[in-house]
Amino acid sequence: MDFLTLLTFCLISAVSHLEKFTNLKVLILDHNNIASLRSFPPLPKLETLSLAYNTMRDLEQTLIHIDNSYPALKHLNLIKNPINPMFAGQSAKYDLFRAQFKIWIPTLVTLDGIDFSKDEVKIADVRTEIEA
């Protein structure tokens, strides 16, 4: 199975049972109770992960887990999660949030449905700060 999308509005909080789906490319888990990715198994072919409208809060844990578990990830959606500064109307912090994801996960093409073409300056600034 390459595509799984019927797991929205299911009150899901853990998905360790997905470890059998190693060829999964698209996983949409919007509108659930997912607070972290700790129970998520590695999915080496996953290209699209949507976790909109969940309860994710830990930025560092999320970045580390995605970096270690989803080497092919191109599209990530974290809209309406507490982890996402746009959730709280903090648009200034959202630029930093996007830059951090692009630096940690260079395979990403889009975050929250938006490509990174307008983020190049912020990404370069954050990268410079990290390397200093």
Side-chain angles (χ1 to χ4, degrees):
M1 177 183 277
D2 290 347
F3 186 85
L4 186 58
T5 188
L6 300 175
L7 298 176
T8 60
F9 292 100
C10 296
L11 302 176
I12 293 170
S13 59
V15 293
S16 57
H17 59 282
L18 290 176
E19 64 194 16
K20 299 172 188 166
F21 299 100
T22 56
N23 291 324
L24 198 64
K25 290 185 179 181
V26 176
L27 179 58
I28 300 172
L29 294 165
D30 298 347
H31 297 274
N32 281 294
N33 291 328
I34 298 167
S36 97
L37 299 178
R38 285 186 179 96
S39 71
F40 281 54
L43 299 168
K45 295 183 180 180
L46 190 68
E47 294 179 359
T48 300
L49 176 60
S50 186
L51 297 164
Y53 295 88
N54 278 285
T55 58
M56 297 181 60
R57 297 181 185 281
D58 189 335
L59 177 62
E60 185 176 349
Q61 186 272 335
T62 300
L63 287 167
I64 291 168
H65 188 84
I66 291 173
D67 183 47
N68 291 333
S69 302
Y70 312 121
L73 194 66
K74 295 179 184 174
H75 309 283
L76 177 63
N77 184 358
L78 295 172
I79 289 174
K80 293 295 183 178
N81 276 277
I83 193 175
N84 190 325
M86 288 300 280
F87 180 77
Q90 299 174 331
S91 57
K93 291 183 179 181
Y94 187 61
D95 293 341
L96 174 60
F97 176 79
R98 289 181 56 79
Q100 289 170 316
F101 269 91
K102 184 61 178 172
I103 291 166
W104 269 80
I105 305 143
T107 57
L108 273 185
V109 175
T110 65
L111 176 61
D112 300 335
I114 304 167
D115 70 28
F116 290 93
S117 60
K118 294 181 181 177
D119 298 299
E120 293 173 8
V121 172
K122 185 65 174 181
I123 292 167
D125 290 346
V126 171
R127 191 173 271 130
T128 299
E129 288 177 27
I130 292 169
E131 293 171 354

